[in-house]
Amino acid sequence: MNDIKTLAGLCQGSPVYIQTHDFPDPDAIASAYGLQKLLANYGVESVLCYDGKIDKLSASKMLDAFRIAMSSYKCLVEGMRETDRIICVDTQKHGGNVTDFVGEEIACIDHHPTFVPAEYRYQDIRITGACATLVAEYYALSGIEPDKDTATALLYGMKMDTLQFTRGVTELDIRMFGYLFPRCDQEKLSDLERNNMEFNDLKAYGAAIENIELYDRVGFSTIPFPCPDALVAVISDFILSLVEVEVAVVSSFRKNGVKLSVRSEIPEIHAGNLLHRALQGIGDGGGHASMGGGFISKERLPEPGRYQEDYIRNLFLDALAEEGDRRKR
């Protein structure tokens, strides 16, 4: 379903919150912002919200560039009620990377595969390179012109999530690029795409390079300190760019557990499914065919030490072996 009028009708008469995943990236921010501006055309006011934190320079720059207001859950929770309406954008209820807010999740607009089904009054879940693509299509089909900032934000979200249209791109992504490009501020878009790495990011790259291990074209790398979710994802893209690597698994250790990012460039190994299998009963994980993310809480890990890395590596090697056996049957 992609009828914005139906969604707007469900939002009438109650406070509306547009919720992203817990660590919103440019695609999540663009999708939520674009939807907020579009719903306003139907008289629906909404609040953009998230849990976790804005932990990447590209996301912070985007909020500043478009003057986007996003509120953290801890600032909203006291005023939220069970009857409030929540729209999940670029995430799904029970997705593993999204907090269960007070209120009713009436709708979901997302481009990720579904691993834990949920009931919504309105659902638009389609596999595309970016969630912003789906929101752009709402504009195209409704006949409502996005303003220049909205078009630019949506296009930036699409470019970031598809790695400059080189990853997971569908025909709809290409069509919506053609729709948004003549409507965007190309100078602002170029400015957003420049200087998105901070000096401290180099430490994470250095650690990832120092700790890389190769097992039959699967590259494992460990960052032994916390770094932003988005940076873990970028580093997994970097590891995958090695000619010897077809599947990349990158781990970042934190006080409360381990953040994981997986990339695959071969059709036989679906990154999201690999994460889901490897972490089943241990943590949460999933994603697209070419990319996915996951998390294991501290309580599910062995005692600290080198063998934590061995434990994680073996989870994925076992899942890969299981997948190989399944394909042979």
Side-chain angles (χ1 to χ4, degrees), residues 2 79 104 136 167 173 257 299 327:
N2 56 0
E104 180 190 358
R167 176 179 64 199
D173 294 299
E299 295 75 24
R327 288 201 304 269

mmCIF file of all heavy atoms in Angstrom, residues 2 79 104 136 167 173 257 299 327:
data_model
loop_
_atom_site.group_PDB
_atom_site.id
_atom_site.type_symbol
_atom_site.label_atom_id
_atom_site.label_comp_id
_atom_site.label_asym_id
_atom_site.label_seq_id
_atom_site.Cartn_x
_atom_site.Cartn_y
_atom_site.Cartn_z
ATOM 1 N N ASN A 2 0.607 2.205 -0.868
ATOM 2 C CA ASN A 2 1.375 3.448 -0.867
ATOM 3 C C ASN A 2 0.460 4.650 -1.113
ATOM 4 O O ASN A 2 0.762 5.526 -1.907
ATOM 5 C CB ASN A 2 2.514 3.392 -1.895
ATOM 6 C CG ASN A 2 2.021 3.087 -3.291
ATOM 7 O OD1 ASN A 2 0.824 2.915 -3.517
ATOM 8 N ND2 ASN A 2 2.939 3.023 -4.235
ATOM 9 N N GLY A 79 5.346 12.628 28.333
ATOM 10 C CA GLY A 79 4.130 13.193 27.761
ATOM 11 C C GLY A 79 3.412 12.284 26.792
ATOM 12 O O GLY A 79 2.330 12.625 26.293
ATOM 13 N N GLU A 104 0.774 3.507 20.014
ATOM 14 C CA GLU A 104 0.391 2.430 19.101
ATOM 15 C C GLU A 104 1.101 2.604 17.760
ATOM 16 O O GLU A 104 0.978 3.638 17.106
ATOM 17 C CB GLU A 104 -1.121 2.434 18.854
ATOM 18 C CG GLU A 104 -1.577 1.331 17.908
ATOM 19 C CD GLU A 104 -3.018 1.472 17.467
ATOM 20 O OE1 GLU A 104 -3.689 2.421 17.921
ATOM 21 O OE2 GLU A 104 -3.467 0.639 16.651
ATOM 22 N N ALA A 136 9.841 9.379 -1.461
ATOM 23 C CA ALA A 136 9.857 10.168 -2.689
ATOM 24 C C ALA A 136 8.711 9.754 -3.614
ATOM 25 O O ALA A 136 8.075 10.602 -4.258
ATOM 26 C CB ALA A 136 11.196 9.997 -3.403
ATOM 27 N N ARG A 167 24.869 -0.019 -4.487
ATOM 28 C CA ARG A 167 24.515 -1.152 -3.629
ATOM 29 C C ARG A 167 22.999 -1.250 -3.476
ATOM 30 O O ARG A 167 22.337 -0.291 -3.097
ATOM 31 C CB ARG A 167 25.162 -0.956 -2.247
ATOM 32 C CG ARG A 167 24.798 -2.002 -1.218
ATOM 33 C CD ARG A 167 25.502 -1.732 0.087
ATOM 34 N NE ARG A 167 25.083 -0.467 0.681
ATOM 35 C CZ ARG A 167 25.785 0.187 1.607
ATOM 36 N NH1 ARG A 167 26.944 -0.279 2.007
ATOM 37 N NH2 ARG A 167 25.315 1.321 2.125
ATOM 38 N N ASP A 173 14.438 3.028 -7.236
ATOM 39 C CA ASP A 173 15.450 3.981 -6.784
ATOM 40 C C ASP A 173 15.891 4.884 -7.945
ATOM 41 O O ASP A 173 16.031 6.100 -7.780
ATOM 42 C CB ASP A 173 16.677 3.239 -6.230
ATOM 43 C CG ASP A 173 16.385 2.463 -4.962
ATOM 44 O OD1 ASP A 173 16.004 3.085 -3.958
ATOM 45 O OD2 ASP A 173 16.548 1.229 -4.969
ATOM 46 N N GLY A 257 27.846 -4.485 25.089
ATOM 47 C CA GLY A 257 27.817 -5.594 24.145
ATOM 48 C C GLY A 257 28.642 -5.329 22.903
ATOM 49 O O GLY A 257 29.598 -4.553 22.928
ATOM 50 N N GLU A 299 25.612 -9.622 28.313
ATOM 51 C CA GLU A 299 25.246 -10.813 29.085
ATOM 52 C C GLU A 299 25.327 -12.091 28.270
ATOM 53 O O GLU A 299 25.441 -13.179 28.829
ATOM 54 C CB GLU A 299 23.819 -10.651 29.639
ATOM 55 C CG GLU A 299 23.647 -9.539 30.661
ATOM 56 C CD GLU A 299 23.651 -8.145 30.036
ATOM 57 O OE1 GLU A 299 23.320 -8.054 28.824
ATOM 58 O OE2 GLU A 299 23.987 -7.178 30.735
ATOM 59 N N ARG A 327 22.495 -25.627 0.947
ATOM 60 C CA ARG A 327 22.478 -25.470 -0.517
ATOM 61 C C ARG A 327 22.852 -26.768 -1.230
ATOM 62 O O ARG A 327 22.435 -27.013 -2.363
ATOM 63 C CB ARG A 327 23.454 -24.360 -0.938
ATOM 64 C CG ARG A 327 22.985 -22.962 -0.584
ATOM 65 C CD ARG A 327 23.692 -21.921 -1.436
ATOM 66 N NE ARG A 327 25.129 -22.010 -1.329
ATOM 67 C CZ ARG A 327 25.864 -21.333 -0.447
ATOM 68 N NH1 ARG A 327 25.272 -20.524 0.402
ATOM 69 N NH2 ARG A 327 27.176 -21.466 -0.416
#
